Amino acid sequence: MTVAAPSAPAAGDLVQSVDWAAIAPPTIAAVAALVVLVADLFVPKRRVKLLGWGAIAGLVVAVAALVPLREGDRSTFCLTTGSGACSYTADHFTLVIQFLVLGGALVTALLSLHDTEEDLPAGEFWFLLLSSAAGAALLPASRDLATLVVALEVASLPAFALVGLKRGDRMSGEAALKFFLSSVTATAVMLLGVSFVYAATGTLHLTEIAQNLDDVPARLETLAEAGVALTLVGFAFKTAVVPFHFWVPDTYVGAPLPIAAYLSVVGKAVGFTGLILVTVIAFPTYADVWGPALAVLAALTMTVGNVAALRQVPTRAWSAVRLLAWSSVGQAGYLLVPIAAAAYSGDDQIGATVAYALMYAVVNLGAFAVAALVARTHPSNRISDYRGLYATRPGAALAMGFFLLCLAGLPPGIIGLFAKVTVFSAAVDAGLGWLAVVMGVNVVIALYYYLQWTAVLFRAPEGAPGEGTPADRPVPVKQPVPVAVTLAIVVTAAAGVVLSGYPQFVLRFAADTLF
């Protein structure tokens, strides 16, 4: 049954109803976090897995709560002045991003079940993960700067603790500190920018900011420009855009592997969603400023990320995770392209970013799921440790090969190919031919290291006849795979196959429906 969208409160009416259905997804995740935290006091240690399954159940219910909102016509917490501005809007853009972040948190939870039984404190871990997911689900619905900043910090603050949750691990503590310092700097810069924007426009609602920026008094124009620039710089930190990317590799290596997967997908989705909201909805007046700036940042980000990934030594400890980290920086550059293009040719280009984000989320989570599997026998997670994976675990090797080919944009990863073509098209349609050329060069660079890793999967394992086995690299004993990890690999691989089967439908939906 479809429920009619709530009517805006009458002008002057200080009492307004809350559309609980609209705010259900982030609310359910937040309530589940509190339930898990309290339950941790009573659940015996031998049954600690129940907390994990409870967290997974909460995320499943949160995802299911998106179904009644599929019409995309709900909003709540609206102004009583008759302007129609609301603080929370559940449109199609919101629902797609909420599905992405809650689904990403769900896959992360599956990957974490085994770790919380042995290495990580279960109660704290699940509370922090669900709290961060609640903030991530709130952010795409935020339509004023105050709610946007609060949602961003609710998503980020628990992530600091999650990164440093491996007690007694020096690398984990160092990673958490770097992540914390960079994020706090970003927040400080962003809040300064928000305060400037508010001083210049007199409002925090995105739609009203857009209207008021068209008519800023001359004496406040410099203040408004500075506010816009500082706000965008803050989001550039959050999205790991070059030159604000320095925290990424060490943070991914030091964090528990499922949390590295979470940051690479959900953290990135949160940052890019906020960037889309402030540029396209709040700051279209300054498109001639942020458009070229984002185009240059996109070129720098994809180039630095791919060149750094290319330089990873396969035998270096944690080289697999570092390559995925630098790859995520390069992918961030591709995600920036349609946002920059929107400054030149209209908001419909944003659909390309969302479609690319959906593809990237599925296959990157899958790659981290296979990395978590390999880490059970090779804790150092070198790229060379994947040699001969097909001989020992053919399903995992085929899945990893598929994920890497999707990231590279090669068949059979059709959705990766279509997503890259769509981003190319967005750049060309916006008249950014030079950016399309830079992207083409970077795609070729990325092909090398993605294909090199894919080839390693199918080489004969070390220790096979004629290969020899180094004395310090004994052939590991095959261990049973946790059911949850297997399920995460299967779910992401199946989603990638489905998306590859219907790429035009996904891209058409993103382009025609979201903006």
Side-chain angles (χ1 to χ4, degrees), residues 434-499:
W434 67 270
L435 185 56
V437 172
V438 172
M439 184 179 173
V441 172
N442 276 276
V443 168
V444 174
I445 294 173
L447 282 177
Y448 178 81
Y449 62 79
Y450 284 131
L451 290 177
Q452 185 181 47
W453 193 352
T454 304
V456 169
L457 301 171
F458 300 96
R459 290 182 62 186
E462 292 182 347
E467 292 290 339
T469 304
D472 60 337
R473 296 281 303 281
V475 178
V477 178
K478 186 174 180 180
Q479 297 181 2
V481 183
V483 174
V485 175
T486 302
L487 183 59
I489 296 173
V490 170
V491 168
T492 51
V497 170
V498 170
L499 289 174

Side-chain angles (χ1 to χ4, degrees), residues 79 83 85 143-146 148 193-216 224 227-228 231 277-286:
L79 291 179
S83 64
R143 293 299 184 272
D144 69 69
L145 289 177
L148 193 64
V194 168
S195 67
F196 286 176
V197 171
Y198 177 71
T201 61
T203 182
L204 289 174
H205 285 82
L206 303 183
T207 53
E208 293 194 335
I209 289 173
Q211 296 172 4
N212 294 349
L213 283 177
D214 284 331
D215 192 26
V216 174
V228 170
T231 303
L277 291 175
V278 295
T279 53
V280 175
I281 298 180
F283 303 149
T285 302
Y286 291 95

Side-chain angles (χ1 to χ4, degrees), residues 301-328:
T301 301
M302 66 178 72
T303 302
V304 171
N306 285 317
V307 170
L310 185 66
R311 296 185 60 184
Q312 296 306 305
V313 179
T315 55
R316 180 186 178 187
W318 302 289
S319 57
V321 179
R322 285 188 176 276
L323 189 147
L324 289 174
W326 285 114
S327 168
S328 75

Side-chain angles (χ1 to χ4, degrees), residues 138-161:
L138 172 62
L139 189 139
S142 304
R143 293 299 184 272
D144 69 69
L145 289 177
T147 308
L148 193 64
V149 171
V150 169
L152 190 61
E153 291 311 298
V154 172
S156 300
L157 290 173
F160 305 152

